Amino acid sequence: MIIDCHGHFTTVPASFRNWRAKQVEFANDPVNAPALSGAHVSDDEIREGVGNGQLKLQQERGSDLTLFSPIAGLMSHHLGNERTSLAWATISNDLVRRVCDLYPDNFVPVGMLPQSPLAPPKNSVPELRRIVNELGFVGVNLNPDPSGGHWTGLPMTDKSWYPVYEALCDMDVPAMIHVAASCNVCHHGTGAHYLNADTSVFMQLLQGDVFKDFPSLRFVIPHGGGAVPYHWGRYRGMSLEMANRPLEGLLDNIFFDTCVYHQPGVELLTKVIPVKNVLFGSEMIGAVRGRDPFNGQYFDDTKRYLDGCTALTDADRQAIFEGNARRVYPRLDALLKQRAQQTEAA
């Protein structure tokens, strides 16, 4: 089985995006705020968006299952207030659950949290527990910068984040570190802000002792880890000098996906980072949707890059395509085992 650990519902209908825009516009005017019913997406609209988008490309490119979450850019925790963030997270998570119910063999749900720049992280814990315990989500996206590119909050090593980590460990659920849209004109969203965040959070974790306090906590850093694999020697040296410990110890808790859109980049990632810490991901349909004019292939067809890594063994590919995801997301593994047993019983 080929499991894509990184997919978003980027093909939602325009009406869903329009409802969000009105919700933000009237964030401080509850009387005139749009009714929740206005955000409803029909099953036919889901089929049109996903069926002609993610599902079609999933089948064409040869993957089997995608961990599916709300649109990262539209999380936009910097917009509105804590009340609107909670409503938006609830609506978005419920919609992802419906996608997975319509296509249970193709998608498994991962959620977003109702974070807000003005709210302590602990306020997101009830929604985290709801989506995992009640809706069967196997993971969550955790935004390290709810301010949208201004980084006004505290680093992820600060103890204000600990209630979220306690809940993640209690439910044995990993978090993908994923920012949302950038409202800072200096930082393009997907070209700078995303990669800056991936790199920044890794450095925060290097400087702190979060994993000493939470040894079972697991983070997936997307987009190939930003600058981390490329500058691995820099971080190894800093870890020894600043934290007096080998950097490799962080690899018990930190994992990277393969959302790197060229062959040399994926080869570097899989050469520098141990295979056990690499999860197949495509971000499809995401940051880059077009084709490479040199070969006519889609940039975000990341499976073909792994297929082209001649240094990888069959065992390596099995781990990256399936085994690592099932280990890092134990609720996914349990779900797949349950389905296999049901199939055998039938």
Side-chain angles (χ1 to χ4, degrees), residues 159-217:
K159 291 192 175 181
S160 62
W161 290 93
Y162 276 27
V164 176
Y165 302 159
E166 289 169 358
L168 290 170
C169 292
D170 177 51
M171 296 183 293
D172 202 14
V173 168
M176 177 174 282
I177 303 301
H178 210 308
V179 288
S182 172
C183 63
N184 186 332
V185 295
C186 296
H187 299 155
H188 181 275
T190 54
H193 183 43
Y194 280 20
L195 306 182
N196 291 345
D198 303 333
T199 308
S200 297
V201 170
F202 185 85
M203 188 64 200
Q204 290 174 13
L205 296 171
L206 183 156
Q207 293 175 274
D209 289 316
V210 167
F211 300 128
K212 184 179 294 184
D213 294 333
F214 299 96
S216 64
L217 183 64

Side-chain angles (χ1 to χ4, degrees), residues 269-280:
L269 173 68
T270 54
K271 182 179 294 185
V272 173
I273 304 299
V275 164
K276 69 181 181 67
N277 291 86
V278 179
L279 281 65
F280 170 62

Side-chain angles (χ1 to χ4, degrees), residues 28-56:
N28 297 314
D29 183 6
V31 174
N32 293 306
L36 295 180
S37 59
H40 178 71
V41 176
S42 69
D43 287 354
D44 286 342
E45 289 176 312
I46 292 175
R47 293 188 183 97
E48 181 179 356
V50 174
N52 295 322
Q54 287 88 347
L55 180 63
K56 178 176 180 289

Side-chain angles (χ1 to χ4, degrees), residues 14-345:
S15 60
F16 193 68
R17 296 173 181 267
N18 293 339
W19 186 92
R20 170 60 170 168
K22 290 181 180 178
Q23 187 208 27
V24 171
E25 180 183 357
F26 294 100
N28 297 314
D29 183 6
V31 174
N32 293 306
L36 295 180
S37 59
H40 178 71
V41 176
S42 69
D43 287 354
D44 286 342
E45 289 176 312
I46 292 175
R47 293 188 183 97
E48 181 179 356
V50 174
N52 295 322
Q54 287 88 347
L55 180 63
K56 178 176 180 289
L57 293 177
Q58 182 190 86
Q59 295 170 342
E60 289 178 355
R61 297 176 186 181
S63 62
D64 300 301
L65 188 70
T66 300
L67 302 190
F68 206 58
S69 63
I71 311 174
L74 273 189
M75 291 193 299
S76 298
H77 295 114
H78 60 284
L79 298 177
N81 52 47
E82 188 175 3
R83 182 183 64 255
T84 54
S85 287
L86 177 57
W88 181 237
T90 302
I91 290 168
S92 298
N93 288 332
D94 289 349
L95 179 57
V96 162
R97 179 67 265 180
R98 288 179 55 216
V99 173
C100 298
D101 288 341
L102 286 173
Y103 300 101
D105 295 331
N106 303 96
F107 302 100
V108 172
V110 168
M112 63 174 282
L113 296 180
Q115 297 175 252
S116 173
L118 302 178
K122 67 179 181 181
N123 290 8
S124 291
V125 171
E127 177 64 5
L128 171 58
R129 291 193 179 277
R130 181 186 81 92
I131 61 177
V132 173
N133 293 331
E134 298 179 23
L135 301 185
F137 282 47
V138 302
V140 67
N141 293 336
L142 184 61
N143 189 347
D145 174 34
S147 70
H150 290 294
W151 293 89
T152 57
L154 295 169
M156 296 195 73
T157 52
D158 186 81
K159 291 192 175 181
S160 62
W161 290 93
Y162 276 27
V164 176
Y165 302 159
E166 289 169 358
L168 290 170
C169 292
D170 177 51
M171 296 183 293
D172 202 14
V173 168
M176 177 174 282
I177 303 301
H178 210 308
V179 288
S182 172
C183 63
N184 186 332
V185 295
C186 296
H187 299 155
H188 181 275
T190 54
H193 183 43
Y194 280 20
L195 306 182
N196 291 345
D198 303 333
T199 308
S200 297
V201 170
F202 185 85
M203 188 64 200
Q204 290 174 13
L205 296 171
L206 183 156
Q207 293 175 274
D209 289 316
V210 167
F211 300 128
K212 184 179 294 184
D213 294 333
F214 299 96
S216 64
L217 183 64
R218 300 181 301 283
F219 288 142
V220 178
I221 299 184
H223 319 114
V228 173
Y230 188 71
H231 289 284
W232 192 247
R234 176 185 295 254
Y235 295 115
R236 289 189 69 229
M238 285 182 171
S239 186
L240 292 170
E241 293 175 5
M242 299 173 62
N244 194 32
R245 66 187 178 203
L247 180 65
E248 288 74 13
L250 292 180
L251 295 178
D252 291 335
N253 305 87
I254 297 177
F255 305 85
F256 303 84
D257 75 12
T258 63
C259 293
V260 180
Y261 295 159
H262 66 142
Q263 189 70 44
V266 172
E267 289 178 356
L268 172 73
L269 173 68
T270 54
K271 182 179 294 185
V272 173
I273 304 299
V275 164
K276 69 181 181 67
N277 291 86
V278 179
L279 281 65
F280 170 62
S282 71
E283 205 178 0
M284 180 268 292
I285 304 168
V288 181
R289 303 190 179 195
R291 296 175 184 264
D292 187 334
F294 292 149
N295 56 29
Q297 301 290 334
Y298 283 102
F299 283 102
D300 63 356
D301 184 1
T302 55
K303 179 181 177 295
R304 65 188 180 87
Y305 303 135
L306 286 164
D307 291 340
C309 289
T310 57
L312 294 177
T313 66
D314 289 343
D316 292 338
R317 288 192 179 85
Q318 194 283 329
I320 293 172
F321 281 135
E322 178 181 4
N324 295 342
R326 295 182 71 145
R327 177 166 51 86
V328 174
Y329 291 82
R331 287 177 178 261
L332 169 65
D333 184 56
L335 175 64
L336 294 177
K337 287 178 178 176
Q338 181 186 45
R339 290 180 178 178
Q341 292 173 352
Q342 291 173 342
T343 299
E344 291 177 2

